[in-house]
Amino acid sequence: MKGRVVMYVAGLALIGVGLRGVVADVGVAGWAVWFVGAAVLHDGVLVPAVLVAGAATGLLPAAWRPPVRVALIVAGCVSAVALPLVLGYGRRADVPSQLPLPYGRNLTVVLSLIAAAAVLAGAARWWAGRRRRRPPASRRAGARDGARREDGGPRR
């Protein structure tokens, strides 16, 4: 319990530092535009996208849902961070060393690795679930042979 209170106090202190910086360094109009834009982006784009993805992944078999959902979340975050680089915001023709990498290709590679990890995780979960449903070989053999327990009842 003490640790939780300490973390809450530390979090509130960091929020205070951030708010102080916003009030001291950013004009009210600039802050209001950013805040309203973030709220509109969250409520108008992010929430509907997550709801659609959740509904779409609900159609998948149970073993595949968590890995696919995690992959979509990670891919969305990576894409959101990389999108300005892929689109070349800030790139200037007279400064060739600014944003020099093939960001579109690199994003494709990272997204492919995320998809491959999701497929491997989904296959592992599916395989584990399949193995859990099958009874051990000793129990299957005993049930076929009509073997009985020591108390005379049938083996289960």
Side-chain angles (χ1 to χ4, degrees), residues 3-82:
R4 185 179 297 175
V5 171
V6 169
M7 296 306 288
Y8 285 147
V9 169
L12 287 173
L14 289 173
I15 290 171
V17 169
L19 286 175
R20 185 188 62 142
V22 166
V23 170
D25 299 333
V26 179
V28 174
W31 180 83
V33 167
W34 183 88
F35 187 77
V36 169
V40 167
L41 183 65
H42 179 272
D43 294 347
V45 176
L46 183 63
V47 171
V50 169
L51 290 174
V52 168
T57 57
L59 302 173
L60 294 172
W64 289 90
R65 279 184 219 135
V68 170
R69 287 176 177 165
V70 168
L72 288 173
I73 291 168
V74 172
C77 293
V78 168
S79 297
V81 169

Side-chain angles (χ1 to χ4, degrees), residues 34-143:
W34 183 88
F35 187 77
V36 169
V40 167
L41 183 65
H42 179 272
D43 294 347
V45 176
L46 183 63
V47 171
V50 169
L51 290 174
V52 168
T57 57
L59 302 173
L60 294 172
W64 289 90
R65 279 184 219 135
V68 170
R69 287 176 177 165
V70 168
L72 288 173
I73 291 168
V74 172
C77 293
V78 168
S79 297
V81 169
L83 193 61
L85 299 171
V86 171
L87 297 176
Y89 293 147
R91 181 177 294 143
R92 292 180 30 195
D94 60 336
V95 184
S97 63
Q98 193 173 27
L99 301 174
L101 300 176
Y103 298 104
R105 183 203 65 197
N106 294 348
L107 178 61
T108 303
V109 168
V110 170
L111 293 177
S112 299
L113 291 172
I114 292 168
V119 168
L120 289 174
R125 287 176 56 91
W126 174 79
W127 183 259
R130 186 170 169 236
R131 291 181 54 95
R132 251 185 266 126
R133 286 190 294 264
R134 288 181 57 195
S138 61
R139 288 179 56 193
R140 285 193 311 256

